[in-house]
């Protein structure tokens, strides 16, 4: 175990021993055993702890001179026995039920030297440990192959029930609209900026990922698909640890990355900071065939495009925490990022018309670039009010972002039938400036009651202001640029006030529950300054949530949960703008968008703490979906986001991890989705449904001489999404890691889309629209990462027998 963890655990046990002197329990549980090394020799003064499945410390002790240990406890919990000692690999037992009065003897337990070859403990760390709780699933990433040589977006994409598409959009259980948080705090980013930010975050800095399919009332009701919370590593004892890494990826273009992480703790002060630089470069080849049914016959537009994009994202994430006393903490968190992009695209379109034996042509070039600056600050305070678990916390967040983008679309038109051979042309210039501020303040209070019950309550307010100015101008042939009437300035204000209450408890030893209710009042004003149009919305909603955990037996439990969620429209989409992608395709805003509401149900069967079989169902009213609208006369396509009357999703998910050998483990997932979409679009009615599936298999190998190897295969079956249908496709990724210098240095090499099969084929066949797409991003590539880990801290042993308290109850 790392020196920092050893010191932290030792301090915990020291304070536990002091507090236990005053306790006089009537009935205690006794956990005993003896610790030995691989040679059979006793291991004295090893730290022994009972740890809950979420990492919280319950009780602990230190082994005596002969390696014997005794832990006495009056608590009830699902725990593991964790043993750690300097120079040895930490040991973790299978989970068991702790309750007053039980006597459990582990007998003789053997722990391994840190530098030994293949052994059971090391192999178990080759794949992420998954912990299932009533309201969330925790994926422990730290120390796994999954974390080495990967970034945060990669790791999220390999978590249960999650799929990250080629645009970096995160889908959870077949639904978009996921809220991503870092250390329990929202990121406040667009989907594109969030994807780039997560690509810049090395996965080795992540402790765990919490997947919350149906969040409790404590969370904002925003986000119909659920919440993903990234917990970063932190230092809990005096000392320093961190890493430096450099790397890059080649997929036809080379994109470098580098980063440094530093964690420091001294006395009551602890700080950590991560500075990263990441480039993401990609080619996107798109073939589009549009068929137009005219009175004279069919007209065809055959368009081939290539878009070359490069994103550069330097980012910083830092925090400082001051321990006022053993019960109170004050902290500051700062996130800053700058994201710039350059996009160049070229497309050629061949047009054939009925009754004509010649073709017409369109050639387009689009040069676009953008830059976004973001600063997020958080000030937080938390205090423990008693030893039962009562606490209060307060947070104040402030976010500012400014965005500037520009593009010049240059189009040329000519025909084989034109005897002059000349071409007409036009240019469209777009300048888009956006600025927004977000201020939030919240207070959360938890009160522990007798009988194991807990009450949670809190209030929150958020205030958002956005100013978006879109300036369009056109030039015909070689003429001057003139203002386009679709230019628009849009100012958006959103105020949300919320309050919640929740009760946790248990009906008996086998049934526990959590019920909550959240109320939110929203006041929204959208002002199109150019058009002199003001759109106001005010509404109050209640969002209930309910969870029940049924422990059928020691090896089988069922978790039921249900909740209601809301997703408010992105304020950019409310702007009645028109943005030209090419001369045939444009995107426009929709000031009439209203929030979507989702009601979700889930039943999760957990077998032996590892195997999950989950059934889910959700109904979404006024769901956001992309709509394709076609102008037959002009033969152009416009896309926009609109509210669908209703969408339904039913899903089944199976997660089956298997240890084939001590050096070979595998994690397998199957997800089946049923999607239904119903809504009027124009003068037609969309009513479609389909069953689709996703399968993923991950193989992890721990090899001699410090090598680790991973291969992952994934396949998505055919699916529908609103008006569109997407064909099935799959791909294979693989990676190998070599540890050097006693695990201080590691080199990772990863190959993505090895067989170049991640090709998307889709079509829209609805009403008069007949369009087929084929798209391939340059996903086939090679990525390498060289990382150096460093650590310097204190270590000591505490010689005591037993103890119990709840002062510092988390192992990191």
């Amino acid at each position: 175990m790392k020196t920092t963890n050893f010191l932290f655990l030792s301090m915990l046990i020291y304070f536990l021993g002091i507090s236990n002197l005053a306790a006089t329990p009537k009935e205690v549980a006794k956990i005993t055993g003896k610790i030995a090394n691989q040679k059979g020799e006793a291991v004295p003064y090893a730290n022994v702890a009972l740890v809950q499945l979420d990492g919280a410390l319950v009780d602990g002790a230190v082994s005596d001179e002969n390696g014997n240990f005794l832990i006495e406890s009056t608590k009830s919990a699902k725990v593991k026995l964790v043993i750690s000692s300097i120079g040895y690999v930490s040991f973790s037992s299978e989970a068991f039920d702790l309750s007053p009065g039980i006597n459990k003897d582990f007998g003789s337990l053997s722990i391994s030297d840190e530098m030994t070859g293949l052994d059971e403990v090391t192999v178990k760390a080759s794949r992420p440990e998954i912990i299932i709780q009533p309201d969330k699933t925790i994926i422990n990433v730290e120390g796994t192959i999954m974390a080495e040589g990967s970034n945060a977006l990669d790791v999220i994409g390999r978590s249960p029930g999650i799929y990250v598409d080629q645009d970096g959009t995160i889908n959870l259980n077949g639904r978009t609209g996921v809220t991503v948080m870092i250390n329990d705090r929202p990121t406040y980013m667009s989907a594109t900026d969030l994807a780039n930010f997560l690509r810049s975050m090395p996965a080795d800095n992540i402790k765990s990922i919490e997947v919350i399919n149906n969040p409790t009332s404590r969370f904002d009701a925003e986000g119909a698909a659920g919440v993903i919370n990234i917990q970063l590593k932190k230092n809990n004892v005096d000392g320093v640890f961190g890493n430096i890494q450099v790397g890059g990826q080649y997929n036809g273009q080379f994109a470098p990355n580098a980063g440094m992480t530093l964690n420091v703790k001294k006395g009551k002060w602890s700080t950590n900071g991560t500075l990263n630089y990441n480039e993401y470069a990609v080619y996107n080849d798109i073939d589009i065939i549009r068929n137009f049914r005219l009175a004279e016959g069919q007209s065809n537009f055959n368009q081939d495009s290539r878009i070359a994009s490069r994103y550069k994202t330097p980012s910083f994430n830092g925090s400082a925490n001051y321990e006022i006393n053993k019960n109170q903490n004050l902290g500051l968190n700062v996130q800053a990022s700058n994201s710039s992009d350059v996009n160049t695209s070229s497309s050629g379109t061949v047009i054939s018309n009925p009754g004509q034996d010649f073709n017409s042509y369109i050639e387009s070039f689009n040069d676009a670039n953008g830059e976004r600056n973001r600063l997020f600050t958080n000030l937080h305070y938390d205090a423990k009010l008693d030893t039962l678990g009562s606490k209060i916390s307060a947070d104040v967040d402030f976010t500012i972002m400014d965005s500037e983008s520009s593009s010049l679309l240059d189009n040329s038109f000519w025909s084989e039938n034109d005897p002059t051979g000349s071409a007409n042309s036009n240019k469209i210039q777009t300048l888009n400036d956006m600025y927004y501020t977000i201020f939030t303040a919240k207070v959360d209070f938890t009160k522990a009651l007798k009988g194991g019950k807990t009450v949670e309550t809190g209030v929150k307010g958020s205030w958002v202001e956005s100013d978006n100015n879109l300036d369009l101008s056109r030039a015909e042939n070689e003429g001057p640029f003139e203002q386009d009437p679709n230019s628009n300035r849009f100012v958006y204000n959103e105020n949300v006030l919320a309050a919640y209450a929740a009760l946790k408890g248990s009906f008996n030893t086998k049934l526990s529950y959590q019920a909550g209710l959240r109320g939110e009042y929203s006041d929204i004003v959208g002002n199109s300054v150019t058009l002199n149009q003001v759109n106001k919305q005010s509404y109050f909603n209640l969002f209930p949530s309910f969870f029940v955990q049924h422990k059928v037996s020691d090896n089988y439990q069922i978790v039921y949960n249900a909740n209601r969620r809301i997703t408010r429209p992105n304020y950019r989409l409310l702007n009645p703008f028109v943005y030209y992608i090419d001369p045939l395709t444009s995107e426009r805003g929709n000031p009439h968008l209203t929030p979507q509401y989702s009601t979700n149900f889930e039943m999760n069967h957990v077998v032996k703490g590892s195997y999950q079989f989950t059934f889910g169902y959700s109904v979404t009213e006024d769901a956001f979906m992309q709509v394709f609208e076609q102008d037959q006369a002009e033969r152009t396509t416009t896309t926009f986001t609109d509210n669908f009357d209703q969408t339904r999703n039913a899903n089944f998910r199976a997660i089956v991890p298997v240890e084939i050998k001590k050096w070979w483990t595998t994690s397998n997932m199957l997800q089946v989705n049923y999607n239904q979409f119903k809504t009027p679009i124009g003068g037609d009615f969309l009513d479609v449904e389909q069953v689709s599936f996703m399968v993923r298999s991950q193989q992890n190998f721990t090899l001699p001489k410090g090598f680790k190897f991973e291969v992952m295969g994934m396949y998505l079956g055919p699916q529908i999404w609103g008006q569109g249908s997407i064909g099935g496709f799959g791909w294979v990724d693989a990676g190998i890691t070599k540890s050097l210098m006693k695990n201080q240095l590691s080199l990772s090499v990863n190959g993505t889309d090895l067989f170049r099969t991640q090709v998307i084929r889709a079509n829209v066949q609805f009403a008069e629209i007949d369009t087929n797409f084929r798209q391939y991003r340059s996903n086939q590539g090679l990525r390498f990462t060289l990382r150096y880990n460093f650590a310097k801290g204190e270590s000591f042993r505490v010689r005591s027998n037993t103890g119990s308290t709840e002062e510092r109850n988390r192992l990191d």
Side-chain angles (χ1 to χ4, degrees):
M1 192 176 186
K2 292 182 180 178
T3 304
T4 53
N5 283 350
F6 182 83
L7 174 59
F8 180 54
L9 184 58
S10 298
M11 291 174 65
L12 281 170
I13 295 168
Y14 174 77
F15 289 114
L16 290 171
I18 293 176
S19 64
N20 194 54
L21 294 176
T24 56
K26 297 180 179 179
E27 189 176 24
V28 298
K30 294 185 178 182
I31 311 300
T32 58
K34 182 175 182 178
I35 307 169
N37 60 22
Q38 290 178 313
K39 297 179 181 178
E41 300 168 340
V43 179
Y45 313 120
N47 290 302
V48 188
L50 298 176
V51 180
Q52 294 188 61
L53 300 185
D54 63 355
L57 182 67
V58 176
D59 276 308
V62 175
S63 62
D64 62 18
E65 291 85 350
N66 299 316
N68 297 307
F69 66 86
L70 166 65
I71 300 177
E72 295 182 334
S73 177
T74 61
K75 299 180 181 179
S76 298
K78 187 85 168 181
V79 298
K80 292 183 178 182
L81 182 77
V82 177
I83 300 173
S84 59
S85 182
I86 292 178
Y88 294 95
V89 176
S90 60
F91 167 84
S92 179
S93 75
E94 295 294 327
F96 64 94
D97 290 315
L98 175 70
S99 60
I102 72 164
N103 293 302
K104 187 174 181 64
D105 185 5
F106 278 87
S108 180
L109 296 172
S110 177
I111 59 177
S112 305
D113 295 338
E114 281 189 335
M115 298 308 296
T116 58
L118 297 177
D119 59 78
E120 184 178 358
V121 173
T122 302
V123 171
K124 283 189 176 180
S126 68
R127 63 176 171 84
E129 181 185 23
I130 297 175
I131 300 169
I132 300 102
Q133 296 184 353
D135 55 350
K136 62 187 173 184
T137 299
I138 302 173
I139 301 97
N140 286 327
V141 177
E142 185 175 9
T144 67
I145 296 179
M146 191 179 191
E148 299 182 25
S150 300
N151 57 53
L153 192 63
D154 293 332
V155 173
I156 288 174
R158 297 180 189 180
S159 300
I162 297 176
Y163 161 61
V164 179
D165 67 19
Q166 296 190 23
D167 295 320
T169 301
I170 300 171
N171 297 261
L172 178 57
N173 298 327
R175 295 177 288 161
T176 57
V178 180
T179 298
V180 177
M181 307 176 74
I182 298 175
N183 287 342
D184 306 313
R185 294 173 182 90
T187 50
Y188 300 120
M189 292 189 221
S190 68
T192 300
D193 290 339
L194 177 62
N196 290 326
F197 184 82
L198 294 175
R199 289 188 185 104
S200 72
M201 182 186 295
D204 187 61
N205 295 331
I206 298 174
K207 177 181 181 292
S208 63
I209 293 175
E210 299 174 355
V211 179
I212 309 169
N213 294 320
N214 295 316
T216 66
S217 58
R218 188 174 188 273
F219 290 85
D220 291 345
E222 177 72 25
V227 173
I228 295 173
N229 188 23
I230 301 171
Q231 295 287 350
L232 302 179
K233 294 179 182 178
K234 57 184 178 181
N235 206 358
N236 287 309
V237 296
D238 284 2
V240 178
F241 79 84
N243 61 67
I244 300 172
Q245 69 174 32
V246 294
Q249 180 169 354
Y250 182 78
N251 59 355
Q253 301 182 80
F254 178 72
N257 63 75
M260 180 179 70
T261 298
L262 183 66
N263 291 265
V264 181
K265 188 176 188 302
K266 186 175 182 180
K268 294 185 176 183
W269 283 98
S270 61
T271 61
N272 66 75
T274 300
L275 182 64
N276 295 310
Y277 175 81
N278 181 73
E279 289 192 20
Y280 173 65
V282 64
Y283 288 116
N284 192 4
D285 293 320
I286 305 174
D287 301 332
I288 304 175
I289 298 176
R290 296 177 170 94
N291 300 312
F292 297 88
R293 293 185 292 273
L294 307 177
E296 303 84 7
Q298 182 165 283
S299 174
N300 301 101
F301 283 46
N302 194 335
Q303 180 180 0
D304 294 331
S305 303
R306 163 165 279 202
I307 305 171
S309 304
R310 181 176 291 270
Y311 301 88
K312 300 179 180 180
T313 307
S315 62
F316 171 78
N317 182 30
S319 65
N321 189 80
Y322 178 71
E323 186 180 284
I324 301 171
N325 54 47
K326 64 179 182 179
N327 292 321
Q328 298 183 76
N329 289 278
L330 184 67
L332 174 70
N333 176 233
V334 177
Q335 298 173 15
S337 64
N338 167 270
S339 181
S340 59
D341 60 86
V342 176
N343 297 272
T344 58
S345 65
S346 61
S347 68
T349 304
V350 180
I351 303 172
S352 63
N353 291 312
Q356 296 179 351
D357 57 359
F358 59 89
N359 294 326
S360 299
Y361 301 91
I362 302 175
E363 191 173 52
S364 299
F365 298 93
N366 195 352
D367 290 324
N369 60 78
E371 183 174 359
R372 288 158 300 283
N373 298 293
R374 171 183 169 270
L375 176 65
F376 167 82
T377 58
N378 165 266
L379 182 66
H380 56 272
Y381 166 83
D382 61 81
K384 296 178 182 178
L385 305 179
D386 56 39
T387 58
L388 297 175
S390 300
K391 57 186 178 181
I392 189 170
S393 64
D395 286 83
V396 176
D397 298 345
F398 182 67
T399 304
I400 57 174
M401 192 202 82
D402 64 83
S403 172
E404 297 179 354
S405 63
S406 63
S407 67
L408 179 61
L409 178 61
D410 191 345
N411 307 304
S412 298
F413 309 83
W414 73 94
S415 172
E416 292 176 341
N417 194 42
D418 188 345
T420 65
S422 61
N424 294 318
S425 66
N426 68 27
K427 296 181 177 67
I428 303 174
Q429 181 173 273
T430 303
L431 303 174
N432 191 11
D433 296 333
M434 183 172 66
Y435 177 82
Y436 74 71
T437 61
I438 300 175
F439 177 78
T440 67
K442 69 171 184 173
V443 176
D444 297 296
F445 173 71
T446 301
K447 175 64 177 176
L449 306 175
K450 293 182 179 180
K453 292 184 174 62
T454 303
V455 173
E456 292 183 347
T457 186
V459 293
K460 179 180 179 180
S462 66
W463 296 265
V464 178
E465 181 177 357
S466 169
D467 193 337
N468 186 5
N469 191 17
L470 181 67
D471 185 9
L472 294 173
S473 57
R474 288 175 174 268
E476 298 295 332
N477 294 318
E478 299 303 319
F481 281 94
E482 297 179 354
Q483 190 78 18
D484 188 288
N486 289 307
S487 298
N488 187 50
R489 182 186 173 201
F490 185 72
V491 179
Y492 176 87
N493 289 275
E494 175 186 283
N495 303 323
V496 179
L497 302 177
Y500 75 91
L503 175 67
K504 296 180 182 178
S506 58
F507 298 111
N508 50 49
T509 58
K510 291 184 176 293
L511 281 175
S512 58
Y513 65 88
Q514 179 175 340
L517 182 65
R518 186 180 186 92
E520 292 190 355
Y521 172 76
S522 303
D523 184 22
I524 298 171
V525 178
N527 180 13
S528 176
V529 178
T530 305
L531 301 177
N532 194 25
Q533 293 179 354
V534 177
N535 184 21
K536 297 182 178 181
Q537 299 181 41
S538 296
Y539 45 86
F540 175 78
N541 290 286
L542 292 175
F543 302 96
S545 62
F546 189 68
F547 299 79
V548 173
Q549 186 174 21
H550 181 199
K551 181 185 173 183
V552 181
S553 67
D554 290 342
N555 292 321
Y556 178 39
Q557 64 173 314
I558 308 174
V559 180
Y560 307 86
N561 60 64
N563 70 4
R564 184 171 184 258
R565 307 279 292 166
I566 185 176
T567 303
R568 298 174 181 88
N570 184 304
Y571 32 84
R572 186 188 74 87
L573 297 177
L574 292 166
N575 184 354
F577 67 90
V578 175
Y579 180 79
Y580 294 94
I581 301 170
D582 58 47
L584 303 174
T585 312
S586 63
E587 179 188 5
R588 65 175 172 86
N590 181 3
H592 304 293
L593 268 180
T594 59
Q596 69 174 25
Y597 297 90
S598 180
T599 304
N600 311 293
F601 305 90
E602 188 177 82
M603 180 173 59
N604 189 12
H605 299 256
V606 184
V607 181
K608 294 186 177 180
S610 299
Y611 308 101
Q612 294 186 65
F613 304 93
T614 306
F615 299 88
Y617 180 75
S618 68
V619 179
T620 304
E621 307 289 341
D622 297 325
F624 301 151
M625 294 298 299
Q626 187 179 44
V627 174
F628 294 83
E629 189 176 70
Q630 187 166 281
D631 188 321
Q632 288 293 100
E634 297 294 332
R635 284 176 285 181
T636 58
T637 302
T638 300
T639 66
F640 61 96
T641 301
D642 204 358
N643 294 108
F644 276 28
D645 279 0
Q646 189 180 85
T647 65
R648 296 177 183 269
N649 171 269
N651 60 79
F652 165 76
R653 182 175 69 253
I655 299 174
V656 182
V658 180
E659 182 178 298
I660 300 173
K661 297 287 185 179
K662 289 186 177 181
W663 49 269
W664 177 10
T665 63
T666 176
S667 178
N668 308 283
M669 185 188 77
L670 169 67
Q671 182 160 320
V672 180
N673 287 299
Y674 165 79
N675 287 303
Q676 182 189 65
F677 303 89
K678 286 186 176 183
T679 193
I681 299 178
D684 298 282
F685 190 81
L686 177 72
D687 185 359
V688 292
E689 59 184 1
Q690 186 175 13
V691 175
S692 60
F693 67 93
M694 176 176 66
V695 59
R696 178 170 63 213
S697 181
Q698 215 168 294
Q699 312 293 322
N700 300 303
F701 304 89
T702 303
L703 307 175
K705 300 186 183 298
F707 282 97
K708 297 177 182 178
F709 178 69
E710 176 187 272
V711 60
M712 188 274 293
M714 186 165 181
Y715 182 81
L716 280 78
Q719 57 185 300
I720 57 172
W721 196 247
Q723 293 165 284
S725 299
I726 304 172
F729 62 97
W731 67 95
V732 175
D733 297 341
I736 189 167
T737 299
K738 166 66 174 174
S739 297
L740 306 163
M741 298 172 55
K742 297 182 179 180
N743 295 325
Q744 282 188 299
L745 188 69
S746 67
L747 174 64
S748 301
V749 180
N750 295 274
T752 55
D753 192 16
L754 298 181
F755 305 105
R756 200 179 175 86
T757 54
Q758 202 169 350
V759 179
I760 295 179
R761 295 176 175 85
N763 64 77
V764 178
Q765 309 284 338
F766 177 75
E768 295 180 332
I769 304 176
D770 181 4
T771 302
N772 296 279
F773 305 84
R774 182 189 183 275
Q775 174 180 299
Y776 182 76
R777 288 179 179 257
S778 51
N779 295 309
Q780 187 182 52
L782 192 67
R783 181 173 63 209
F784 72 91
T785 304
L786 182 66
R787 186 179 69 254
Y788 174 72
N789 298 310
F790 57 88
K792 183 178 181 180
E794 302 174 4
S795 64
F796 61 86
R797 287 186 175 126
V798 179
R799 302 192 182 192
S800 63
N801 293 322
T802 62
S804 64
T805 191
E806 192 261 338
E807 297 298 332
R808 299 170 179 250
N809 63 349
R810 186 164 298 277
L811 297 174
D812 288 284

